[in-house]
Amino acid sequence: MAKTDFEIPKLEHPVKIPAIMEGASSHLSIHPANEQMKTKLGFPEKRVDNWQETAIAKLGELKDKYRSLKIFLDVCVKCGSCADKCHYFLGTGDPNNMPVARQELMRKVYRKNFTIGGKLFGSLARAEDLTEEVLKEWVTYFHQCSQCRRCSVFCPFGIDTAEITMAAREIMDSIGVGHKYSLEIIGKVHDTGNNLGIPKPALTSTLEFLEEDVKETTGADVKFPLDVEGAEVLMVVPSADFFSSPHVDSLVGYAKVFHAAGVSFTFSSHASEFANFGMFVGNYAQMQKIAGRIVQAAHDLKVKRIVVGECGHAWRVAYSFWNTLVGPFDFLDQAHPAPQHICEFTNGLIKRGALKLDKSANDEFTVTFHDSCNVARASRMGDTPGGQFEIPREILKATCNKYVEMPEEVNRERTFCCGGGGGLLTDELMELRVKGAAPKAAALKEMMDEKGVNVMAMICAICKAQFTKVLPYYDIPMETVGGVHQFVSNAIQLGDK
Amino acid sequence: MTALSAAFTVLSYCAAGVFFGGLLFQLWGYATTPSPLKIPVTPHPTTAAGVVKKNIIALATFGSLFKGNRWTWIGGYAFHVILIFVFVRHLRLFINPVPPLLAEIQPVALLGAMLLPLPLIYLWVRRKAVDRYDYISSPADHFALALLLLIGLTGLALKFVAHSDVVRIKEFLLGLVMLSPVEIPAHPVFLCHFSLVLILAIFFPFSKLLHAGGVFFTPTRVQVDNPRESRHINPWGN
Ligand code: SF4
Ligand code: SF4
């Protein structure tokens, strides 16, 4: 077990609701962005002098631009249905991590400045000015929300705390108070085309290495093409797929699937990344600009389709937002959805019998599947609601002999976040990440003990990175984490094409 | 007209104005605020008909609350069902002559409406007893519960304790509705009951009670999940 200066929660499934402990996670805060990161994205370099007025004006602007925010600030009845649904509350016991209490941090400022009750009755109506103290709460607790939307499932009005968190971060950026992690990454994606800051030569040599490696292990000439004009498909992946483990195993899987299907594809050095941190910071313009690179690459490379890799929030942005942000996609082949998820692509081939699969290649694994928040609660795959649950499972069942389901109260639409989503996958929040992962880790541990599960497959780069890092705190080996296409990669029979 | 009647008549019209005006203003605000992006919480229907159906079921069952917490659901659901009984019970005071069907169901409506204080007391106790709910509760939440409970209790008192002349009350209410006000029955319990209702009407549009209207506009629930099939346009986007 890793050494820590905090107490690691005991894993219990089903998870116990903690008694509230005020301030339990108030010490966990972010590293602020530096001046250069902020100015690069057009945010003020320092906290502006009239920060209070500026923030209130921004809040006013956002509530008039986003119906979600406006309604959510008004209609909460404080029923408490969401209160015990957040993994960060369950992991820390800090009452400000109850979704409704997190919302209240913004609502109290909203009341004070925008509602009759708040203006007339002040603190009696729980209305408060945006003081230094309140801003500190915002910085802290709006960076203890992974925008996973779990709370929304249980809210009678569908109040989505993620919308409020996004707005809060946008307001903070607008007064010059930003999070280093997210802003730095957005800067990198503009500079290098990907979140990791990988320059083109490094990307080229990695892809060459993978080509040789696959040739050696399978004997097949599986290609990993970069910037090939006229390819059929532009493949956009989370950049961790190029360098991290287990991510890269799925990348190999994608390439093998294209190879077996006889469909030409290419990566793009201009848009080698599919993640979109513009969403995490609630910034529409950034989200649009980051998505725009991909459409630009599709035009430049004259592809007919866009297929995307295993990443949760990025799939949300692609599936739900791209058409609005950077559509229409009428320049692509209309016979296929745009964008298409690699799981939709692969499962289509499996259903047509176009892939030769040897399930026994995965016999050493007893596999379960973790639904990633943004795929589960903010997107779809295929034509029918819930396809986002069925399609990856169909792939796993077609490639593995031993597949078992996790309990529904922690999966599917009620899935628990990995604890590292929403722009929180950063070292300074490690304690929060470990504690927030507890509910899911508890369910996994139970599956391991009771059902002999030794791998949890998933389709999100952040989930993979987070779990490989935090599961060892719970004595679960990092090798337990896998990508869905890694099992495709193991099972697929390439012949000698 | 007595000074008392004059005062209550003016107050009634003011409260009605605030209630309807405020409600219209707020809902108009929701309806005209853009939804820049598709944000339904999935899995979610892919057609408009599917969305309507899902929301009708949600309204009829409070399914999300049921999923979230059965014990709160029991109280919340019971309260809202009883509100329907209360509504039916009071409708007869605003319609002349009372349609036969409405007259016939009055005994049942009375039976239901009588229960109003029970879920309110239950929810209030819960709000204090569970540490999470206590933490999130504000004076406004207690005020809303107190107001509703007092309205319920004074209403019951009118029926069972301090019996009032319902014919005169009906004349007064109909007078207000028909814009030809008549004297208000100077029955102290009725005056209390009626005043509390006026306060509720004024409180309603500017409080969390607005959830009754807001629920029809929530993008996470009322949008159709078809972003790839049909391009959603952001009115302020480019
Ligand atoms: S969106 Fe997720 S992380 Fe944020 S408050 Fe809701 S449950 Fe917690
Ligand atoms: S479930 Fe919805 S209405 Fe109930 S407390 Fe949470 S946000 Fe408010």
Side-chain angles (χ1 to χ4, degrees):
Chain A
M1 193 191 291
K3 234 182 77 190
T4 58
D5 49 7
F6 57 88
E7 203 184 323
I8 299 185
K10 217 169 107 246
L11 294 187
E12 267 177 296
H13 175 82
V15 60
K16 271 223 185 76
I17 302 166
I20 61 176
M21 270 176 288
E22 282 191 51
S25 64
S26 59
H27 61 292
L28 299 174
S29 205
I30 51 159
H31 291 165
N34 68 29
E35 295 181 6
Q36 179 238 334
M37 292 166 195
K38 289 188 262 188
T39 43
K40 191 174 160 83
L41 304 181
F43 300 128
E45 55 177 353
K46 287 208 270 299
R47 196 201 304 178
V48 295
D49 289 335
N50 57 342
W51 59 275
Q52 279 148 316
E53 289 146 60
T54 313
I56 301 306
K58 190 76 188 176
L59 173 56
E61 179 195 324
L62 292 178
K63 80 165 174 58
D64 290 336
K65 277 172 124 174
Y66 290 87
R67 182 187 296 177
S68 51
L69 185 65
K70 193 185 183 86
I71 295 183
F72 295 166
L73 287 172
D74 278 344
V75 301
C76 170
V77 296
K78 317 263 204 64
C79 69
S81 182
C82 63
D84 54 351
K85 302 304 184 293
C86 177
H87 50 291
Y88 293 125
F89 172 67
L90 293 170
T92 65
D94 191 314
N96 278 330
N97 280 330
M98 296 190 290
V100 44
R102 197 186 312 286
Q103 299 159 19
E104 283 292 305
L105 295 178
M106 179 177 284
R107 224 174 254 133
K108 61 188 181 186
V109 175
Y110 164 75
R111 286 199 199 98
K112 180 82 191 181
N113 291 280
F114 297 99
T115 73
I116 295 176
K119 285 180 186 165
L120 287 181
F121 299 107
S123 63
L124 213 54
R126 284 240 178 130
E128 253 180 73
D129 278 315
L130 181 58
T131 58
E132 193 73 45
E133 195 62 20
V134 173
L135 179 65
K136 192 163 168 267
E137 291 174 335
W138 280 34
V139 172
T140 305
Y141 293 105
F142 287 124
H143 290 97
Q144 297 192 17
C145 168
S146 59
Q147 307 177 347
C148 77
R149 315 187 100 192
R150 188 169 196 267
C151 43
S152 169
V153 172
F154 302 95
C155 173
F157 315 108
I159 294 178
D160 179 9
T161 315
E163 292 287 309
I164 292 179
T165 296
M166 289 171 194
R169 294 188 190 170
E170 166 78 338
I171 292 168
M172 289 189 278
D173 279 331
S174 78
I175 57 170
V177 178
H179 184 190
K180 173 171 180 248
Y181 174 69
S182 292
L183 297 193
E184 188 173 31
I185 281 184
I186 294 174
K188 278 191 210 158
V189 84
H190 292 316
D191 287 344
T192 61
N194 60 70
N195 285 6
L196 294 180
I198 314 162
K200 185 171 177 182
L203 198 56
T204 310
S205 61
T206 303
L207 294 174
E208 281 170 4
F209 166 79
L210 289 172
E211 243 170 54
E212 283 163 26
D213 193 54
V214 174
K215 173 83 183 167
E216 231 168 74
T217 49
T218 68
D221 283 317
V222 174
K223 295 273 174 274
F224 290 78
L226 183 64
D227 294 334
V228 175
E229 219 183 281
E232 164 111 9
V233 170
L234 170 65
M235 182 71 200
V236 204
V237 301
S239 54
D241 282 7
F242 296 116
F243 284 94
S244 304
S245 182
H247 307 63
V248 70
D249 299 330
S250 283
L251 186 85
V252 171
Y254 316 151
K256 286 183 180 173
V257 170
F258 283 117
H259 177 87
V263 175
S264 67
F265 81 103
T266 183
F267 299 112
S268 151
S269 61
H270 177 66
S272 49
E273 174 74 64
F274 150 58
N276 194 325
F277 276 37
M279 181 173 85
F280 293 159
V281 296
N283 189 288
Y284 189 92
Q286 281 301 333
M287 197 155 69
Q288 190 168 40
K289 203 170 159 199
I290 295 167
R293 296 148 44 248
I294 295 164
V295 175
Q296 186 60 48
H299 278 297
D300 292 348
L301 296 170
K302 304 190 173 60
V303 296
K304 297 196 191 68
R305 306 165 66 173
I306 303 177
V307 176
V308 300
E310 297 180 354
C311 187
H313 84 281
W315 175 238
R316 176 184 190 185
V317 176
Y319 167 84
S320 290
F321 303 161
W322 273 8
N323 207 357
T324 301
L325 293 171
V326 292
F329 290 97
D330 46 9
F331 64 98
L332 296 173
D333 182 351
Q334 298 300 302
H336 307 282
Q340 188 174 31
H341 195 284
I342 186 69
C343 285
E344 296 179 306
F345 181 78
T346 301
N347 201 44
L349 293 166
I350 293 175
K351 285 204 157 149
R352 287 205 332 257
L355 298 182
K356 255 202 279 168
L357 299 165
D358 174 15
K359 290 188 183 192
S360 68
N362 285 317
D363 273 355
E364 59 184 292
F365 304 115
T366 303
V367 184
T368 189
F369 183 69
H370 159 67
D371 288 291
S372 298
C373 322
N374 276 297
V375 178
R377 287 186 286 261
S379 82
R380 167 166 56 101
M381 287 181 203
D383 299 326
T384 42
Q388 70 270 34
F389 304 134
E390 304 319 323
I391 287 175
R393 284 170 171 80
E394 283 171 17
I395 296 175
L396 287 172
K397 287 175 193 164
T399 53
C400 306
N401 279 315
K402 290 179 277 181
Y403 174 78
V404 282
E405 278 292 346
M406 281 214 197
E408 214 166 294
E409 69 266 22
V410 300
N411 226 14
R412 295 186 178 248
E413 71 164 353
R414 303 183 197 194
T415 189
F416 272 113
C417 173
C418 63
L424 307 182
L425 192 73
T426 167
D427 285 345
E428 75 262 25
L429 294 175
M430 190 53 76
E431 180 178 340
L432 181 80
R433 287 168 51 191
V434 170
K435 291 179 171 174
K440 200 57 183 247
L444 170 61
K445 183 90 179 151
E446 172 137 316
M447 300 296 288
M448 296 172 78
D449 295 345
E450 311 262 304
K451 304 267 170 71
V453 164
N454 58 2
V455 184
M456 179 165 69
M458 55 199 75
I459 46 174
C460 174
I462 291 177
C463 290
K464 290 174 194 171
Q466 155 77 354
F467 278 132
T468 45
K469 190 94 185 200
V470 303
L471 288 181
Y473 285 83
Y474 295 107
D475 293 324
I476 299 173
M478 57 189 266
E479 291 73 29
T480 314
V481 183
V484 164
H485 275 76
Q486 157 183 350
F487 301 96
V488 178
S489 176
N490 293 344
I492 199 165
Q493 302 296 299
L494 295 175
D496 32 28
K497 251 191 265 176
Chain B
M1 187 178 266
T2 62
L4 183 76
S5 294
F8 266 100
T9 302
V10 172
L11 283 174
S12 301
Y13 285 123
C14 286
V18 172
F19 178 77
F20 289 110
L23 205 59
L24 219 63
F25 171 80
Q26 299 280 37
L27 297 187
W28 182 253
Y30 297 155
T32 53
T33 303
S35 278
L37 292 164
K38 280 276 179 146
I39 57 166
V41 173
T42 60
H44 193 71
T46 54
T47 61
V51 169
V52 170
K53 189 175 151 205
K54 180 177 172 174
N55 280 290
I56 289 175
I57 294 174
L59 272 182
T61 62
F62 293 14
S64 300
L65 186 55
F66 185 76
K67 266 189 245 176
N69 193 304
R70 307 265 151 108
W71 295 109
T72 309
W73 176 86
I74 291 176
Y77 195 75
F79 169 70
H80 286 83
V81 169
I82 291 171
L83 276 189
I84 298 175
F85 287 100
V86 172
F87 176 78
V88 172
R89 186 72 197 143
H90 285 73
L91 202 55
R92 78 199 153 104
L93 300 175
F94 293 87
I95 304 178
N96 209 18
V98 176
L101 181 67
L102 186 60
E104 231 166 273
I105 57 176
Q106 283 310 312
V108 185
L110 174 63
L111 220 61
M114 271 163 50
L115 302 174
L116 186 71
L118 295 181
L120 287 170
I121 293 168
Y122 169 76
L123 288 170
W124 208 351
V125 168
R126 230 174 122 57
R127 204 173 260 295
K128 282 314 285 180
V130 178
D131 64 350
R132 300 187 298 282
Y133 307 156
D134 189 31
Y135 182 88
I136 60 177
S137 300
S138 71
D141 301 313
H142 295 297
F143 176 73
L145 280 167
L147 191 58
L148 288 166
L149 189 58
L150 281 174
I151 290 174
L153 291 176
T154 49
L156 285 176
L158 276 179
K159 175 76 197 165
F160 296 110
V161 188
H163 209 72
S164 57
D165 184 350
V166 83
V167 176
R168 283 201 53 214
I169 290 177
K170 180 160 181 172
E171 274 169 16
F172 169 69
L173 293 174
L174 273 176
L176 286 178
V177 174
M178 298 306 185
L179 305 181
S180 53
V182 296
E183 300 286 344
I184 190 167
H187 183 292
V189 182
F190 171 70
L191 291 181
C192 272
H193 185 66
F194 191 66
S195 306
L196 290 166
V197 171
L198 295 185
I199 294 173
L200 180 71
I202 293 167
F203 180 66
F204 192 97
F206 307 102
S207 71
K208 66 172 186 177
L209 302 183
L210 197 59
H211 69 273
V215 66
F216 296 101
F217 296 90
T218 310
T220 50
R221 294 282 164 87
V222 303
Q223 285 184 338
V224 179
D225 180 31
N226 60 354
R228 286 192 294 190
E229 291 82 355
S230 140
R231 184 166 185 239
H232 175 79
I233 303 291
N234 173 6
W236 51 263
N238 47 44

